[in-house]
Amino acid sequence: MLSLEFLQFADKLRRNPCDNPRRIGYAALRQIQENRILSEDCGCPNMAQTMTHIGGIKAEWLTPPGAPKEKAVIYVHGGGWSLGGIRQTRLFLAPMVQQFQIATLHFDYRLMPENPFPAGLDDCFSLYQGLLKEGWQAENLVLAGESAGANLALALLLRLKEAQLSLPAAVTLMSPITFMDTMEGSHRELADLDLILAEDSFILCDVARLYAPGWDKRHPWLSPLYGDLEGLPPMQLFAGTDELLFDDTIRFYHKSRLAGNQVELIIGDHMLHSWPIFMRDFPEAESAVRTMAAFIRSHLLHDGQDQESRYEDRLVKAALEEIEQNYAQANLSKLAAIYNQTLYGYSKLIKKQTGYNFKELLKNKRLSIVERQLITTEKSIKNIALEAGYENMTHFYELFSEKYGKTPQKYRADFRVKQNFAKSDNKTSK
């Protein structure tokens, strides 16, 4: 079930569609972004901001309190290779970094059409090389990005691999552009659903011609899908079902898995392009960022578990969060498919980690809701049970008595006796 906040956000986008750079020009669109910064930038409270230059590239560190030393996220911003920069990215990146609790470096790179490919990629490469020269260890870095920035991140991986430089510990990407040679599949079929990259404002092949004039659009640094993907670091990919770049993520995911890589795929039902960056706007995005933060921290903060165990922990945590947020919609088959697990294997994993099977987890969640309502409200027991989804009252009484050792009436009565005793005891002590 979609949140009210998301529905309102989507409706706002429908009524006020994204500006078209081909209609008003890149300079005008950049000015609109600049005006937005002036109206929305509230700084980064409770976080250190440090401007710097690394490898000759202007960058900024966002460092939350208590962030571990010598661990970092490198974030590559999106914007169709033509928009964005440090000030724009900070607006959405700062709250994400609060979730990561890891120092994060983001930076300016040269933009097209003034600076066509490979200028932006050269800047990404220079920054990464600069970090290594400063003494940073690749195993202490995670690479992240969205959209065109995710495309640059993948191109950077392939270029680092070709240069035989150390690759980062892991990569987490939102809605990456992975091929530029065709406009088939979701590029056309989902264009009408895409609230960010509407077909009339973002024709990928048109942008690709401006971005890389004269280049073969199947070159791996432009279309990472066609590169040699063997030996890439563990990866996390986010894709929304209602974005025209959906196939970019799915095709890359499958090819990377076939190359033997560990890849985690998170599909957001009805979600839009790069939806986690909107964590201030709706809870689905905030939940996705929490998942991203868990992935980043599991690869940077070694807690004695092996990588497979940490990966399993994240899968079970996702199931528990799904139950916590909306137990009525929690679906084991759907979760297993999203995390590329067999239904049997995912069920066994949950049982191993929690001691319960999935149905038991749902049952306990429902009963805990009932228990909370019994002691905090004056609602009738029947209404509480019906609101929690119990239609068979006899079955409900049996389940409740089995879990709590007494009937709902007895449980409520005993709690009130204890509560009254505690109140009278407090009065006596005063």
Side-chain angles (χ1 to χ4, degrees):
M1 183 180 296
L2 296 172
S3 68
L4 177 61
E5 293 89 340
F6 173 77
L7 294 174
Q8 291 173 336
F9 183 82
D11 183 61
K12 182 179 178 181
L13 282 178
R14 289 189 191 94
R15 288 185 282 106
N16 302 283
C18 297
D19 292 289
N20 184 338
R22 292 182 299 135
R23 178 174 58 81
I24 66 174
Y26 289 103
L29 194 49
R30 289 169 186 165
Q31 186 58 53
I32 290 172
Q33 285 198 342
E34 183 65 22
N35 294 339
R36 180 179 168 225
I37 293 169
L38 294 174
S39 65
E40 297 184 21
D41 189 1
C42 300
C44 303
N46 304 318
M47 187 180 302
Q49 296 172 245
T50 309
M51 297 300 298
T52 186
H53 282 80
I54 299 175
I57 305 301
K58 183 180 178 182
E60 179 183 58
W61 284 105
L62 298 176
T63 308
K69 295 181 179 180
E70 300 178 351
K71 310 285 183 181
V73 175
I74 306 169
Y75 192 89
V76 190
H77 73 79
W81 305 285
S82 61
L83 301 167
I86 289 173
R87 296 177 68 211
Q88 295 92 333
T89 305
R90 187 191 301 134
L91 292 176
F92 66 80
L93 184 59
M96 296 174 71
V97 174
Q98 291 283 17
Q99 289 289 329
F100 300 165
Q101 285 298 293
I102 300 288
T104 299
L105 181 72
H106 65 122
F107 57 99
D108 286 339
Y109 56 83
R110 285 172 289 173
L111 302 174
M112 73 96 173
E114 297 89 346
N115 301 284
F117 177 84
L121 178 58
D122 288 344
D123 292 346
C124 295
F125 188 74
S126 294
L127 178 112
Y128 190 90
Q129 276 190 310
L131 284 171
L132 297 182
K133 289 177 181 177
E134 287 187 2
W136 284 86
Q137 300 297 310
E139 64 189 27
N140 292 329
L141 301 172
V142 166
L143 190 59
E146 102 278 359
S147 194
N151 168 273
L152 284 169
L154 290 173
L156 176 61
L157 289 178
L158 297 178
R159 186 164 171 180
L160 292 171
K161 183 181 168 185
E162 186 176 303
Q164 298 184 335
L165 291 174
S166 299
L167 301 180
V171 186
T172 178
L173 303 173
M174 298 164 276
S175 305
I177 299 169
T178 67
F179 58 89
M180 298 187 193
D181 61 322
T182 179
M183 279 289 292
E184 300 306 317
S186 64
H187 287 203
R188 292 198 181 279
E189 294 165 6
L190 299 181
D192 289 341
L193 294 176
D194 197 315
L195 298 177
I196 303 292
L197 308 180
E199 188 174 27
D200 64 347
S201 65
F202 190 99
I203 304 295
L204 187 57
C205 288
D206 284 357
V207 175
R209 280 191 285 270
L210 283 172
Y211 175 53
W215 284 77
D216 179 1
K217 299 309 179 287
R218 290 175 64 92
H219 190 291
W221 294 357
L222 293 170
S223 297
L225 178 68
Y226 303 122
D228 176 9
L229 306 186
E230 187 176 347
L232 295 185
M235 194 172 295
Q236 182 185 57
L237 301 174
F238 291 83
T241 59
D242 289 6
E243 63 167 316
L244 61 85
L245 295 179
F246 182 74
D247 284 356
D248 289 66
T249 302
I250 301 305
R251 289 179 64 185
F252 188 88
Y253 165 77
H254 286 301
K255 186 175 178 184
S256 190
R257 292 278 297 184
L258 287 173
N261 300 319
Q262 178 186 314
V263 191
E264 179 181 345
L265 176 64
I266 294 114
I267 297 176
D269 283 342
H270 303 293
M271 288 295 106
L272 40 75
H273 180 67
S274 300
W275 89 91
I277 71 173
F278 301 107
M279 67 171 292
R280 282 176 166 168
D281 297 293
F282 49 88
E284 291 89 344
E286 185 176 359
S287 177
V289 173
R290 286 199 302 269
T291 301
M292 187 184 301
F295 175 86
I296 290 169
R297 294 177 65 81
S298 72
H299 286 280
L300 289 181
L301 307 180
H302 304 295
D303 53 10
Q305 290 180 295
D306 60 32
Q307 205 171 84
E308 182 177 356
S309 296
R310 294 197 302 273
Y311 182 65
E312 289 179 351
D313 286 348
R314 288 201 310 280
L315 297 185
V316 175
K317 183 181 179 183
L320 297 176
E321 285 187 355
E322 184 85 4
I323 294 169
E324 183 64 32
Q325 290 171 11
N326 194 348
Y327 76 90
Q329 301 296 322
N331 184 298
L332 180 62
S333 299
K334 176 181 169 184
L335 280 169
I338 288 175
Y339 289 97
N340 197 40
Q341 304 290 304
T342 65
L343 192 62
Y344 175 71
Y346 199 48
S347 182
K348 277 186 67 178
L349 187 60
I350 290 171
K351 179 77 172 177
K352 172 186 170 185
Q353 295 277 356
T354 68
Y356 298 106
N357 62 37
F358 196 72
K359 287 185 178 179
E360 288 173 326
L361 283 174
L362 292 178
K363 181 182 77 173
N364 286 334
K365 174 62 179 174
R366 293 170 76 189
L367 287 172
S368 68
I369 290 173
V370 169
E371 187 263 350
R372 199 177 305 126
Q373 292 282 304
L374 281 174
I375 64 178
T376 60
T377 74
E378 298 299 321
K379 294 178 183 177
S380 71
I381 292 172
K382 182 176 181 180
N383 283 344
I384 290 173
L386 289 172
E387 287 176 6
Y390 294 103
E391 297 181 359
N392 185 321
M393 294 302 293
T394 301
H395 182 55
F396 160 68
Y397 273 85
E398 290 174 353
L399 290 175
F400 190 92
S401 299
E402 179 185 346
K403 180 173 175 63
Y404 294 103
K406 57 186 75 173
T407 65
Q409 291 93 333
K410 178 67 172 169
Y411 190 92
R412 174 180 265 178
D414 287 352
F415 176 81
R416 287 175 176 169
V417 168
K418 291 179 182 177
Q419 194 176 39
N420 290 334
F421 179 79
K423 287 179 180 178
S424 62
D425 192 45
N426 284 338
K427 288 180 181 179
T428 302
S429 62
K430 289 179 181 178

